[in-house]
Amino acid sequence: MKQGIHPDYHPVVFQDASTGSTFLTRSTATSSRTIEWEDGNSYPLLVVDITADSHPFWTGTQRLVDTAGRVEKFNRRYGKRER
């Protein structure tokens, strides 16, 4: 890798805004807010709206779209039009 062209890659704590859960990972993102982690070190804190802890797909609350109903509704509305 070329030196001096890549951003700093460091440990960061992400916090889910809706559930409050936190996890430590590495990122190039920075923040002025910090949090003391379980290991006693202080890390930058990034608060995000959605994580796997609150995303509907991963929590099992995702709604399925009735695609067959959509096709039937389309056919009723527009049907087989003649040219």
Side-chain angles (χ1 to χ4, degrees):
M1 285 194 330
K2 281 188 174 180
Q3 296 297 321
I5 63 168
H6 299 286
D8 181 34
Y9 188 65
H10 53 275
V12 176
V13 175
F14 285 92
Q15 181 179 27
D16 190 315
S18 59
T19 63
S21 65
T22 57
F23 60 94
L24 178 66
T25 187
R26 295 181 59 86
S27 176
T28 59
T30 59
S31 173
S32 60
R33 296 175 63 185
T34 60
I35 188 171
E36 187 162 328
W37 194 246
E38 300 154 356
D39 61 2
N41 294 327
S42 182
Y43 297 107
L45 174 66
L46 293 167
V47 179
V48 293
D49 294 331
I50 297 177
T51 64
D53 201 41
S54 64
H55 193 281
F57 179 80
W58 300 110
T59 59
T61 60
Q62 181 179 10
R63 295 183 348 200
L64 296 175
V65 177
D66 180 21
T67 55
R70 285 183 169 190
V71 172
E72 291 166 3
K73 182 178 177 182
F74 177 85
N75 286 334
R76 275 196 316 267
R77 183 178 291 173
Y78 301 107
K80 297 212 178 219
R81 295 194 174 193
E82 301 206 14
R83 293 186 173 200

